[in-house]
Amino acid sequence: MTATMKALLLKQHGDVTDLTVVDDYPVPTADAGHVVIRVGASSFNYHDVFTVKGMPGIKVPLPVIIGLDMAGEITELGEGVTGWKVGDRVLVNPLYPGKGLMGEMLDGGMAQYCKVSVGQLIRMPDKVSFVDAASLPVAYGTAHRMLVTHKTVKAGDKVLILGASGGVGTGCVMLAKQLGCEVIACAGSQDKMDRLKELGADHVVNYRETDFSKWAIEKYGKPQRRNYEGGVDVVINFTGGDTWAPSLKCVKRGGSILVCGATAGHDPKEDLRYIWSFELKVIGSNSFYDDDLAALMDMIQEGTLKPVVDKELSLEEAAEGLRMIRDREVMGKIVVTP
């Protein structure tokens, strides 16, 4: 008789209300080169909203257990697996070799158990919890690669962060502060602004009430084409859409716009005059690697970083958590402990 487990299942594309919690999903078994983990925690990302809705050009094999980010404990080793043992605590890099992302192209972390390739495993330090580890990959890993690995910001830089209250955003706020930057965090409510100040943001801007670009120009001066006065050094923009053109207008000559996503639209109105007139650098950063995740866990172990977790939910509450992410009601991460 096949053992079964609880899982959050996407059976058809649609709304978050179409997600189903089942209790009779088969527990995976570890075949060659794989392990099974008991999931200690799994976290949502905005990418999960896109997966549920359906993305043009990406055919998700349905039904699928969603959830990219997960951490847990090894319960079973497949043939040929060496260097690991049952009971080891692991963070999973959600990129499965040759197939794509967990929770999209194959079953992910929103379940009691998950099968992963041995190459996806990253050993967890003793003082790092499953909840903190599961908060890292897509959000904090992306922020770490964009700021630290690519060395795009430095001490003294004025860094304006759009979408600062989300997973990637809170990671950017904390990492930029650790690197000695003056941080301007943009969010959509007073509560989020207050919490961003607590995280270390030097200035906060309510983008619903204030034009962030005009605010930056009033604060730091209008960027000049013939000298390096005025404007901010860096804008971190992973929203796109109608935030793109204003971002160009408030960056100083020689400054940078960092891009790692486009949650509000990937095809914004462009104005190339600003890019050449102010010698702007548009720097892309894609995904994250094991080194980013290991470095972040070391920071948690050392007490220099604490991921921001808005709520810890059960599987039964998980769909509501994803709705909160979709509707931008979240500060930091939503973590599910199945």
Side-chain angles (χ1 to χ4, degrees):
M1 184 172 173
T2 303
T4 58
M5 65 178 181
K6 285 201 297 186
L8 184 66
L9 206 59
L10 176 65
K11 297 181 179 179
Q12 62 182 25
H13 291 300
D15 198 355
V16 295
T17 53
D18 292 314
L19 290 167
T20 305
V21 177
V22 300
D23 59 8
D24 58 353
Y25 202 81
V27 173
T29 56
D31 47 21
H34 293 76
V35 305
V36 171
I37 66 166
R38 180 184 296 110
V39 179
S42 180
S43 78
F44 280 126
N45 298 279
Y46 206 90
H47 187 94
D48 295 300
V49 175
F50 293 138
T51 300
V52 170
K53 185 178 180 180
M55 294 172 281
I58 298 179
K59 185 172 177 58
V60 176
L62 299 176
V64 69
I65 299 169
I66 67 168
L68 287 78
D69 295 344
M70 75 193 87
E73 181 180 281
I74 295 176
T75 59
E76 183 185 352
L77 304 174
E79 183 182 349
V81 173
T82 60
W84 300 95
K85 65 181 186 300
V86 170
D88 281 346
R89 301 166 70 250
V90 293
L91 172 62
V92 177
N93 184 324
L95 184 60
Y96 185 99
K99 287 191 178 180
L101 288 171
M102 308 288 293
E104 181 184 276
M105 303 313 293
L106 64 169
D107 285 340
M110 294 289 164
Q112 292 175 304
Y113 294 88
C114 186
K115 181 179 78 169
V116 298
S117 166
V118 68
Q120 295 174 265
L121 302 178
I122 306 170
R123 199 174 302 276
M124 287 175 55
D126 293 340
K127 295 180 182 178
V128 179
S129 70
F130 290 137
V131 168
D132 283 348
S135 301
L136 295 178
V138 171
Y140 286 79
T142 296
H144 186 274
R145 181 168 177 78
M146 183 167 57
L147 271 63
V148 180
T149 304
H150 289 320
K151 300 179 180 177
T152 50
V153 301
K154 62 184 184 303
D157 280 351
K158 302 175 183 69
V159 179
L160 187 148
I161 303 170
L162 298 172
S165 62
V168 177
T170 54
C172 287
V173 169
M174 290 188 285
L175 291 172
K177 281 304 298 178
Q178 288 196 17
L179 293 167
C181 301
E182 180 179 340
V183 172
I184 306 104
C186 300
S189 72
Q190 188 61 50
D191 176 62
K192 289 179 179 178
M193 290 163 64
D194 292 342
R195 294 171 73 182
L196 286 164
K197 288 283 281 187
E198 293 172 2
L199 283 184
D202 298 283
H203 314 283
V204 289
V205 178
N206 187 331
Y207 68 82
R208 298 184 190 275
E209 300 175 354
T210 303
D211 184 316
F212 70 87
S213 184
K214 291 180 179 177
W215 182 95
I217 291 170
E218 289 175 5
K219 174 73 174 177
Y220 300 109
K222 185 176 181 179
Q224 301 297 306
R225 287 182 292 178
R226 303 300 180 189
N227 58 50
Y228 295 93
E229 296 176 1
V232 299
D233 298 280
V234 178
V235 170
I236 297 176
N237 186 327
F238 45 82
T239 52
D242 59 7
T243 68
W244 184 254
S247 296
L248 299 173
K249 297 177 181 179
C250 66
V251 182
K252 71 184 296 183
R253 179 185 175 191
S256 303
I257 301 174
L258 309 184
V259 184
C260 65
T263 57
H266 69 275
D267 189 21
K269 181 180 178 181
E270 182 63 275
D271 194 332
L272 295 174
R273 295 173 299 176
Y274 286 92
I275 294 177
W276 85 67
S277 297
F278 295 93
E279 299 180 334
L280 301 182
K281 297 182 285 289
V282 178
I283 302 173
S285 185
N286 184 32
S287 190
F288 46 87
Y289 290 83
D290 286 0
D291 288 350
D292 298 298
L293 302 180
L296 287 162
M297 285 196 290
D298 286 343
M299 293 168 71
I300 296 173
Q301 174 88 352
E302 295 160 3
T304 59
L305 179 75
K306 177 68 175 174
V308 179
V309 176
D310 191 303
K311 286 183 171 58
E312 294 180 34
L313 303 176
S314 66
L315 275 176
E316 288 75 14
E317 301 168 308
E320 171 62 10
L322 190 56
R323 182 205 63 77
M324 293 174 64
I325 291 176
R326 181 197 68 191
D327 296 344
R328 304 187 189 283
E329 296 175 5
V330 173
M331 177 74 182
K333 297 286 293 182
I334 294 286
V335 178
V336 174
T337 50

